Each structure stands twice: as structure tokens, then as C-alpha cells.
Amino acid sequence: MNLRRGIAAAVILLGSLTPAMADDIGDAIGDAQKAYKAGDLGAAKQALDLASHLIAQRNAEGLAKAFPGPFKGWKAEEAETSANAFASFNGSSATRRYSNAKDETLSISISADGPILAQMVMVLSNPQLAGTMGKIIKVGDRSAIQDRDGDITLLVAKRFIVKIDGDVKTDEKLAYAKAINYAALENFK
């Protein structure tokens, strides 16, 4: 009975968005609504799962807007986005890789949402716990963790984890960390 109520609530909530969305997400929500009304809970759940995955994909594509362009002497690959639909990892992520003429590489990853991320948020938002993961540093006005390899991890808007890593010097990682468009993440919906 709880499954039926949960699906009904999701169909009603998401169904109210359908007229504003003429796309795959809206279509999946509409399919869920039709299946639910026909009494096919399995098809309704499957359609809602698809809608959830499509929303995560769209979110991942939006995360890529926060990546900085390559610095002088550097090249950047296109951002790679991912929407993970597995129950324990449900969330969105985007990664962009950078390289220079010395064949040094740097990678910036942004992860959003998901149950595991929520646990990381608890650790990163507590300076005493975060300090056990490495040295606490400032990136602009933000606190970050820098590990032994100089990799940098930041929590943004208690929703995003940003990680900068690679085989470059720490100051280059820090420069890229400062160049990320944090306002784009803070205003991300």
C-alpha cells in the first residue's frame, strides 16, 4: 500500500509539471500518469524511474557550466557528464580534464545530489571531521580540504562536491579551483 501511495504522490506532483515540459522528461511523467491511472504500478514506477534519470542527466549537463576555460598554455577536453540511477548512487556529475604542453593533467569533477553525497556533505561541512581528511585551506572565501597529493575538495551550497586533482603542482590546482564559476553552482536549480 505504501508503494501505491508513493507512486500516486509522485505522479500527482510530477504530473502537474507536464504541461510546461514538451520533452522526454514530460513524456515519461505523462506515461507514468497513464500507467498509474490504468492500475499498472510496475509501468508507472518504471516511467517515473526513467523521468528521474532524465532529470539527473539534465542536471549533469547543467553542472558543466561551472567549469573554467583552459588557462594559457592549457587545453581542455569537452566536459563528460553522468547521471547514475543506481539506488545508492542516484545523482549527477560532470568532469572536465585539462592538459598542458608538459603532458601534465588536471581534472575537475562536480557531483550533485544522491544519498552518498549527503553523507559526504556532513563530513565536509564539519571542520573537525573535514580536518581528518587533510589540511583545511581557503579557496577564495571558501573552505576546502587539501590532501597529501595537493588534491582539493570543496563543498558548495551544501549540495555539490567539487574535486580538483591531477599530476600538476598544488598552486596550479588552487588556481583552477579559484576559477570555477561557484555562482553558477549556487544558483543551480
Side-chain angles (χ1 to χ4, degrees):
M1 196 64 165
N2 273 343
L3 176 63
R4 183 175 281 241
R5 284 185 187 159
I7 290 173
V11 168
I12 290 168
L13 175 66
L14 296 173
S16 66
L17 302 174
T18 304
M21 303 172 144
D23 58 18
D24 291 341
I25 295 170
D27 292 346
I29 293 168
D31 291 346
Q33 214 169 16
K34 288 177 198 166
Y36 176 76
K37 287 179 182 176
D40 188 348
L41 296 181
K45 182 183 181 315
Q46 194 171 19
L48 287 173
D49 288 345
L50 174 60
S52 177
H53 185 76
L54 292 170
I55 290 168
Q57 272 181 243
R58 188 171 294 168
N59 281 345
E61 292 163 4
L63 295 176
K65 295 177 182 170
F67 292 129
F71 292 170
K72 186 176 181 180
W74 288 78
K75 294 184 290 185
E77 296 177 8
E78 289 295 317
E80 296 176 18
T81 60
S82 166
N84 198 330
F86 294 110
S88 61
F89 297 105
N90 195 12
S92 306
S93 65
T95 301
R96 190 169 193 193
R97 290 174 183 74
Y98 302 81
S99 60
N100 63 21
K102 299 181 215 172
D103 284 330
E104 296 174 320
T105 60
L106 177 133
S107 177
I108 301 174
S109 300
I110 303 171
S111 301
D113 306 318
I116 288 181
L117 192 66
Q119 293 173 8
M120 286 296 297
V121 167
M122 283 188 347
V123 171
L124 293 173
S125 60
N126 180 330
Q128 291 174 333
L129 288 175
T132 64
M133 296 174 63
K135 178 181 170 185
I136 296 180
I137 63 168
K138 291 300 250 179
V139 175
D141 61 349
R142 301 172 193 292
S143 293
I145 300 169
Q146 186 173 55
D147 68 17
R148 285 186 216 146
D149 297 324
D151 297 344
I152 298 169
T153 304
L154 297 98
L155 174 64
V156 179
K158 294 193 177 197
R159 181 176 172 208
F160 306 100
I161 293 181
V162 177
K163 180 145 180 87
I164 301 95
D165 59 20
D167 59 2
V168 297
K169 294 179 182 176
T170 301
D171 61 339
E172 291 177 282
K173 293 176 189 177
L174 187 57
Y176 268 99
K178 289 178 179 177
I180 293 169
N181 184 350
Y182 294 105
L185 294 175
E186 290 166 345
N187 296 318
F188 189 80
K189 302 215 185 252

